[in-house]
Amino acid sequence: MGEANNNKAMQDMEGQYITFELGGETYGIAILKLIEIIGFRELTKIPNVPSFIKGILNLRGAAIPVIDLREHFHLQNVNYDSFTVIMILKISARTIGLIVDNVKDVVAFTQDQLRPAPRFNSQIKTDFIKAMGEKDDKFVILLDIDRLLSDEELNVVDGV
Amino acid sequence: MNIRFRLKEKLIILFLAMGIIPLVIVTVWGMHRAKAQLENQAKMYLMAEAKGFAKVVQIGYNSINSKIDLVREQLVKNLEQNMIKAAAKERYFKTGYLAIFSSNGMCLYYPKDEYKGSMQLYNKYNYIRDAVLQRQGFLNYESGGEEYIGYLVYNKDLDWIMFATAPRKEVFEENRVLKKQLYTFTVMVGILIVIVGYLFSRAIIKRINVVTQSMKGIAEGKADLSMRLPVLSEDEIGDLGHWFNIFMENLEDVISKVKEAAIQVSTATDEVSTGAQGLSQSSQEEASAVEEIAATIEEMTSSIKENASNATQGKEKAKNAVDVANHGGSVVSETQEAMNAISEASKKIGDIINTVNEVAFQTNLLALNAAVEAARAGEHGKGFAVVAEEVRNLARRSADAAGQIKDLIEDTVSKISIGDEMVKKTEGSLKEIISRIEEVSQTMDEIAAASSEQARGIDELNRAIAQIDSSTQENASTIEQLASTADSLSNEARELEETVIGFKVSKHKMNGIKTENKPGSDKPQKKANNNYDNINSMNKNTMDDPLDEFEEF
């Protein structure tokens, strides 16, 4: 991949991101992928599903499956509090809720603020990381929401 | 008389007194007696001669028996002439003669013819007058510076006074010779007596001198008591030597015993002296220790009194402390109440803050959703996005402020809880302090009681110490006396030893003391030696063999 290619990709990635916290790290999601942000509320538990699927959210009549990103990322469980929010996203034409610790801000990243995602060996899947956004000398992990869930997971979600 | 004679001189004087004085007395007396005898004999002789002559005259006269006067006259004349002739022949001693006088003083015969038939003699010499007057008997007289003896016989028939006379000198002529011889003899005998006396006394003195020299040797020389006097004779001097030797033997015995005893006494007194000195020192140390104890006790007394007063003060202070602590306790509870109130208020504030926070959160969410809507609206939503951001900023600021307030409140609450804890701890501490102070107070009470008890004990101790002190001082003085007595005894023993050491004692005497200890020896000696045994056994440790040391002297 050439420098020009890279630059092109980075240029594509420019835009507004919603930043949120998860296990002490700051992540970012493209703002246009977002439908709504709501405070955490009680979910309808679904039996016999993987544990990262926390339940079904009733949002103005629509049933939306909700995933705990923390569990998905195999991070430690944290109790949900008043600052826990559910981000309603559009993933591959599906509407899914993501439980995150805290929503922070709307940040606009420019090309020079973006860095390519780190690549490890083939065993470690990191392709869901779009890029690393530099903000206030810290990196914001920018997620590719469409690649966040595997097909199997999407299937499971769809099944719900 | 202060003149002192030596024995020799005395003996000589004795000899002289016993020999020469009687000799001289006898001689003088004999001479005197002889003289008297001679005079007597001379008198008798003159009387006999005179009387004999007178008898012859009387017989001649009586034989004239003629009655015829003429014849008779003639015969008488013849008789007279014959008798005068006879008288001329009479000689007594050497120049003695017979003179005839008539009673009227007429000289009828005198050895010198010029006086015959005259009165010259009668007139000239008093003694002739005395003789004529006396007529009869002895007549001693003096004439021409010479003494005479005379005898007068009177014949009344012829009227003759016959006077036989002789110079006394001639009478004693013989006596003078005798006297000379007697004196010579006396002198010779005297000389002999002196010589014999001298020799005799020298012999005696010599033997005495032998004894004296021996004694002198013993006395001033090496004082060798083993020396003995030579017993040469069996007389008194021999006896003297013999008994002196026995005396020496006894003396030697005594001296050897005294020697040993002196050394033992010396050692013993030395030991006593050392002991006494040690005792003295220890008693002095004791005295000083007692003094120290007394001083310490005094200090103790004062410190105990101080203790007692301190304990009383301490008790008061403890009481004050309890009061203060109680006061502190009430303050603490007030503080606690105040803090509780603060805590409650803080909680309320926290609730309010939570509400504010929630509002801010909801606002933030709304603003974010607005931002999302604005982004979706694209160019049209730009203005709206700005407003949403402002709202978000406000929400964030209010959330931050609320967070700060919450932090502060939490800090306050935590601090209050810490303070509360501290107050609780303080309360506990104060309670503990109070209980401790009460304990302290109780302890102080006990200390005060113990101090007074101690003070009483100390008083008793003081009295005991005073007694100890006085008895120690008494002891010390007694020991000092003992020490000085021991010293003087030691000195005297040493002097005795020195005195006795001068005496030489024969070895067998010293050994004899040991050997005599065997049973069966004389009882008194055994008794005496038993003492030695005791002393010997006593000194066996200190002195292996005192006799060895004796022999060195």
Side-chain angles (χ1 to χ4, degrees):
Chain A
M1 227 193 275
E3 189 72 22
N5 257 354
N6 200 15
N7 284 346
K8 180 76 177 59
M10 292 300 130
Q11 207 173 1
D12 287 347
M13 278 177 236
E14 272 184 354
Q16 286 187 318
Y17 288 84
I18 293 281
T19 58
F20 61 90
E21 271 186 7
L22 197 67
E25 286 302 325
T26 308
Y27 295 85
I29 290 171
I31 197 165
L32 292 177
K33 294 284 180 183
L34 204 69
I35 297 167
E36 199 179 342
I37 301 166
I38 58 166
F40 183 77
R41 60 189 71 170
E42 281 302 313
L43 300 174
T44 309
K45 297 272 195 308
I46 306 297
N48 203 23
V49 289
S51 64
F52 68 90
I53 298 172
K54 284 292 163 185
I56 298 293
L57 173 70
N58 181 6
L59 184 69
R60 291 183 287 274
I64 298 163
V66 176
I67 292 164
D68 192 338
L69 196 57
R70 189 181 275 271
E71 275 189 36
H72 186 257
F73 283 168
H74 305 294
L75 299 173
Q76 274 187 325
N77 278 329
V78 168
N79 288 332
Y80 305 134
D81 59 19
S82 56
F83 298 107
T84 305
V85 295
I86 299 168
M87 296 166 82
I88 312 296
L89 298 167
K90 197 172 272 288
I91 300 172
S92 313
R94 294 179 193 83
T95 304
I96 290 170
L98 269 183
I99 303 172
V100 299
D101 287 356
N102 195 8
V103 174
K104 289 189 87 177
D105 211 346
V106 176
V107 180
F109 285 106
T110 54
Q111 192 185 338
D112 56 316
Q113 285 175 316
L114 294 172
R115 301 284 178 271
R119 296 286 174 239
F120 301 102
N121 60 24
S122 55
Q123 249 102 57
I124 298 166
K125 263 184 84 182
T126 55
D127 54 348
F128 56 87
I129 298 174
K130 203 193 259 177
M132 306 295 279
E134 199 179 340
K135 172 101 164 69
D136 302 333
D137 292 337
K138 278 182 179 172
F139 275 121
V140 177
I141 302 162
L142 302 179
L143 299 173
D144 187 349
I145 221 75
D146 295 324
R147 292 185 181 174
L148 191 66
L149 297 175
S150 64
D151 289 340
E152 291 165 25
E153 285 167 341
L154 285 175
N155 281 339
V156 171
V157 170
D158 285 343
V160 170
Chain B
M1 286 273 268
N2 273 332
I3 300 167
R4 296 202 174 163
F5 298 107
R6 298 189 60 80
L7 188 57
K8 197 171 166 184
E9 289 151 6
K10 278 180 186 167
L11 274 169
I12 290 165
I13 288 162
L14 181 72
F15 271 105
L16 287 173
M18 298 303 281
I20 290 169
I21 290 167
L23 188 71
V24 168
I25 288 165
V26 164
T27 309
V28 169
W29 182 75
M31 285 299 293
H32 184 73
R33 288 291 297 165
K35 202 175 168 184
Q37 206 70 35
L38 274 171
E39 195 175 347
N40 219 22
Q41 274 177 9
K43 273 178 173 174
M44 289 305 144
Y45 170 67
L46 283 174
M47 188 175 74
E49 287 292 321
K51 275 186 176 170
F53 188 83
K55 196 124 192 181
V56 172
V57 170
Q58 192 63 54
I59 291 164
Y61 184 77
N62 287 345
S63 62
I64 299 168
N65 45 14
S66 162
K67 305 291 194 222
I68 303 150
D69 286 347
L70 209 75
V71 174
R72 189 179 173 94
E73 235 168 86
Q74 195 62 45
L75 280 172
V76 171
K77 248 177 196 161
N78 284 347
L79 179 68
E80 282 180 351
Q81 277 171 355
N82 286 339
M83 286 321 290
I84 285 168
K85 276 180 190 166
K89 285 176 189 165
E90 289 287 321
R91 272 288 176 276
Y92 314 121
F93 302 102
K94 222 170 174 179
T95 56
Y97 56 91
L98 187 79
I100 300 164
F101 295 90
S102 68
S103 61
N104 62 353
M106 174 77 78
C107 179
L108 299 172
Y109 171 75
Y110 193 80
K112 287 179 181 170
D113 290 338
E114 65 258 33
Y115 297 116
K116 272 181 202 169
S118 74
M119 296 288 283
Q120 272 184 342
L121 282 169
Y122 184 82
N123 293 330
K124 198 175 178 181
Y125 299 109
N126 287 331
Y127 71 90
I128 301 296
R129 274 198 295 277
D130 289 345
V132 170
L133 277 170
Q134 194 179 318
R135 290 187 184 176
Q136 269 182 316
F138 292 106
L139 177 73
N140 293 335
Y141 64 92
E142 210 185 291
S143 172
E146 225 176 315
E147 280 186 357
Y148 290 84
I149 301 167
Y151 193 79
L152 295 159
V153 181
Y154 179 65
N155 190 308
K156 58 183 177 199
D157 294 324
L158 294 176
D159 190 30
W160 276 14
I161 296 166
M162 284 153 286
F163 182 38
T165 184
R168 189 178 278 265
K169 201 169 69 182
E170 284 168 17
V171 171
F172 295 122
E173 188 66 31
E174 217 178 328
N175 191 30
R176 211 160 18 257
V177 175
L178 186 70
K179 211 172 174 177
K180 209 181 227 169
Q181 284 171 352
L182 200 60
Y183 282 156
T184 310
F185 173 73
T186 303
V187 167
M188 280 173 76
V189 168
I191 287 165
L192 197 69
I193 283 167
V194 166
I195 287 165
V196 167
Y198 176 74
L199 290 174
F200 187 68
S201 65
R202 214 178 65 167
I204 289 169
I205 293 302
K206 198 176 171 186
R207 295 232 313 269
I208 287 172
N209 273 347
V210 170
V211 175
T212 307
Q213 287 304 316
S214 301
M215 283 190 186
K216 199 179 170 190
I218 290 162
E220 71 180 9
K222 304 131 205 163
D224 191 347
L225 292 177
S226 65
M227 269 170 71
R228 292 289 177 271
L229 296 179
V231 179
L232 299 170
S233 60
E234 294 202 342
D235 57 6
E236 286 84 344
I237 290 166
D239 284 354
L240 174 65
H242 174 68
W243 288 110
F244 181 75
N245 282 346
I246 286 169
F247 166 71
M248 281 296 285
E249 210 150 301
N250 291 341
L251 189 65
E252 204 181 334
D253 260 9
V254 169
I255 289 295
S256 55
K257 283 170 189 172
V258 167
K259 233 179 183 180
E260 225 173 312
I263 283 166
Q264 276 151 6
V265 166
S266 180
T267 320
T269 50
D270 276 353
E271 274 169 34
V272 169
S273 186
T274 318
Q277 273 170 10
L279 254 169
S280 172
Q281 208 177 332
S282 58
S283 82
Q284 271 171 13
E285 276 168 25
E286 203 182 320
S288 66
V290 165
E291 253 169 61
E292 270 175 42
I293 287 168
T296 312
I297 282 170
E298 217 162 285
E299 275 174 35
M300 250 172 87
T301 310
S302 65
S303 63
I304 280 165
K305 274 175 189 164
E306 216 179 299
N307 250 15
S309 72
N310 281 353
T312 317
Q313 278 183 9
K315 206 180 148 191
E316 266 175 50
K317 278 175 186 168
K319 205 178 163 191
N320 286 349
V322 168
D323 288 349
V324 169
N326 279 331
H327 189 246
S330 67
V331 168
V332 161
S333 52
E334 276 171 32
T335 307
Q336 210 169 14
E337 273 170 38
M339 285 212 294
N340 281 340
I342 289 169
S343 193
E344 259 172 59
S346 295
K347 268 179 198 165
K348 276 177 190 168
I349 290 169
D351 288 348
I352 291 162
I353 290 295
N354 271 342
T355 309
V356 169
N357 239 349
E358 251 168 69
V359 168
F361 175 71
Q362 294 297 335
T363 309
N364 192 31
L365 280 185
L366 285 175
L368 279 172
N369 283 327
V372 167
E373 289 298 324
R376 213 171 282 156
E379 280 298 313
H380 302 288
K382 256 190 180 161
F384 188 67
V386 170
V387 173
E389 200 177 338
E390 282 302 313
V391 172
R392 228 170 41 238
N393 280 342
L394 286 173
R396 195 167 45 238
R397 274 168 64 189
S398 72
D400 284 351
Q404 278 176 8
I405 289 166
K406 201 186 173 189
D407 284 350
L408 285 172
I409 290 292
E410 272 173 5
D411 194 42
T412 306
V413 168
S414 78
K415 274 177 181 166
I416 281 168
S417 72
I418 288 167
D420 190 48
E421 220 165 288
M422 278 180 165
V423 163
K424 272 176 186 160
K425 275 186 188 169
T426 306
E427 205 183 0
S429 298
L430 278 173
K431 274 177 184 165
E432 205 170 314
I433 284 168
I434 287 166
S435 75
R436 288 285 154 83
I437 284 169
E438 272 164 1
E439 275 174 35
V440 166
S441 176
Q442 211 172 328
T443 311
M444 288 289 179
D445 266 351
E446 281 169 21
I447 286 170
S451 288
S452 58
E453 190 97 346
Q454 265 177 340
R456 273 199 299 280
I458 286 285
D459 271 354
E460 277 175 37
L461 193 60
N462 253 338
R463 276 198 293 279
I465 286 292
Q467 277 181 347
I468 288 170
D469 192 35
S470 73
S471 60
T472 302
Q473 273 171 10
E474 239 169 80
N475 259 10
S477 71
T478 312
I479 285 160
E480 230 164 86
Q481 279 182 344
L482 176 64
S484 72
T485 311
D487 272 352
S488 65
L489 187 59
S490 176
N491 283 339
E492 274 164 35
R494 206 153 289 132
E495 259 176 54
L496 179 62
E497 205 184 315
E498 274 167 22
T499 314
V500 171
I501 265 166
F503 291 108
K504 245 187 206 169
V505 178
S506 54
K507 257 188 186 175
H508 72 90
K509 275 285 164 209
M510 300 303 290
N511 297 335
I513 286 157
K514 267 192 162 176
T515 52
E516 276 170 25
N517 287 338
K518 287 172 187 168
S521 58
D522 295 352
K523 277 208 170 166
Q525 250 183 354
K526 195 180 173 185
K527 197 178 174 185
N529 287 331
N530 277 344
N531 293 337
Y532 275 105
D533 266 352
N534 294 339
I535 292 161
N536 280 341
S537 61
M538 254 171 66
N539 290 331
K540 210 132 240 178
N541 298 329
T542 53
M543 248 172 146
D544 269 353
D545 192 1
L547 299 176
D548 281 349
E549 291 194 17
F550 265 76
E551 281 162 13
E552 284 171 20
F553 297 136

